[in-house]
Amino acid sequence: MAARDGKRGGRRGKRVGRRGPTVRVKTARGRKPSSTRWLRRQLNDPYVAAAAKQGYRSRAAWKLVEIDDRFGLLGRGAWVLDLGAAPGGWTQVAVERAPRGRVVALDRAEMEPVAGAEVRTVDLDDGAAADALVAELAGLIDLVLSDMAISATGHRGTDQVRNRRLAELAFDVARRVLKPGGGFAVKAFHGGGDADFVAELKRGFREVRSVKPSASRAESAELYLVARGFRGGGEG
Ligand SMILES: C[S@@+](CC[C@H](N)C(=O)[O-])C[C@H]1O[C@@H](n2cnc3c(N)ncnc32)[C@H](O)[C@@H]1O
């Protein structure tokens, strides 16, 4: 069922095929070379085409499809908290795959509603807003997803530190809202102290795996850490 229907109950295991013939992009007067490169990449990206066809708001949706196909995180009745959700591709996938559950999706940026999800504008850097969310959802959530990322500055070290901080913010929320046995999938990046972060996760969960979905661009340092079997401990 296409996500654009806004109904719950999608099928598992959709696959994105290989790319078609390469689309060439002429250099237009006034267009920067970086914009031409971006346009060429978009036009030749099978995940962009497949997302449009499926009614997903972002190509990122395919990353969660692949992660969930592999790890089976999204039970049909799961209560899910989706952090850094805009424009909403992951939220659409969560609603499809947890048709009898509850999906709360938030982002610091405003996001169009997603049928079947509760969409909120929350900046997790705002401690009071994060605490209010935690107070409402403490101990109720089966799965926390975080695809949060900063807008890249281009300075690798700075970007790594700021993205790592977002992953830690997500973990801090996760350990306060998850039910024992719950799961957590979080965007991380190679470098920037990921070994320490994995060690922290291992203290909180029985199993921690890393995955680079094929929809994640090869040239990007992005990867995802998937943690299962939350040991509990809540506010501790
Ligand atoms: C890569 S996008 C998420 C894409 C989304 N998973 C999808 O499938 O459409 C990263 C998001 O993280 C959000 N974000 C970054 N910092 C945040 C914060 N402190 N609190 C909430 N959201 C944040 C950004 O606004 C951005 O929308």
Side-chain angles (χ1 to χ4, degrees):
M1 175 180 301
R4 68 166 64 85
D5 293 342
K7 291 179 193 152
R8 289 168 175 270
R11 277 181 303 135
R12 284 179 187 271
K14 295 186 187 81
R15 285 273 174 266
V16 177
R18 293 195 169 276
R19 67 178 66 225
T22 305
V23 178
R24 291 183 192 284
V25 178
K26 288 187 188 145
T27 1
R29 196 194 297 264
R31 190 195 291 139
K32 287 188 197 151
S34 59
S35 307
T36 303
R37 277 198 301 278
W38 180 86
L39 191 56
R40 186 183 301 124
R41 193 169 74 169
Q42 286 295 102
L43 290 172
N44 288 295
D45 183 333
Y47 292 99
V48 171
K53 192 168 167 210
Q54 189 66 22
Y56 288 144
R57 293 181 188 176
S58 61
R59 74 185 290 293
W62 297 111
K63 300 177 194 173
L64 181 57
V65 166
E66 192 175 330
I67 291 170
D68 188 50
D69 283 348
R70 180 153 162 204
F71 295 100
L73 301 172
L74 284 160
R76 292 179 68 76
W79 280 36
V80 182
L81 177 61
D82 182 10
L83 307 175
W90 281 35
T91 309
Q92 291 174 297
V93 173
V95 166
E96 279 179 2
R97 293 182 172 214
R100 291 200 299 275
R102 176 181 180 194
V103 178
V104 178
L106 66 84
D107 201 287
R108 72 194 310 170
E110 290 221 2
M111 177 176 149
E112 290 292 318
V114 175
E118 299 163 42
V119 169
R120 304 181 187 180
T121 307
V122 178
D123 184 343
L124 282 187
D125 271 320
D126 172 350
D131 286 348
L133 180 84
V134 165
E136 180 193 338
L137 299 175
L140 296 177
I141 298 295
D142 297 293
L143 176 65
V144 174
L145 302 171
S146 174
D147 196 25
M148 282 196 292
I150 57 146
S151 310
T153 62
H155 185 278
R156 205 170 152 192
T158 308
D159 290 351
Q160 265 177 0
V161 169
R162 291 175 62 208
N163 276 319
R164 164 76 190 278
R165 198 175 147 272
L166 283 181
E168 289 193 337
L169 271 180
F171 179 37
D172 186 51
V173 169
R175 66 188 181 78
R176 293 154 79 200
V177 299
L178 281 175
K179 290 180 190 165
F184 178 42
V186 59
K187 190 202 281 288
F189 292 86
H190 282 299
D194 40 315
D196 293 347
F197 187 50
V198 169
E200 275 178 55
L201 288 180
K202 282 187 172 163
R203 282 193 286 278
F205 295 85
R206 276 196 295 279
E207 185 195 0
V208 179
R209 306 277 294 275
S210 78
V211 55
K212 171 90 177 165
S214 28
S216 178
R217 299 185 198 281
E219 68 274 21
S220 155
E222 167 192 270
L223 55 85
Y224 291 85
L225 296 171
V226 177
R228 291 187 290 186
F230 179 55
R231 297 182 201 275
E235 294 282 329

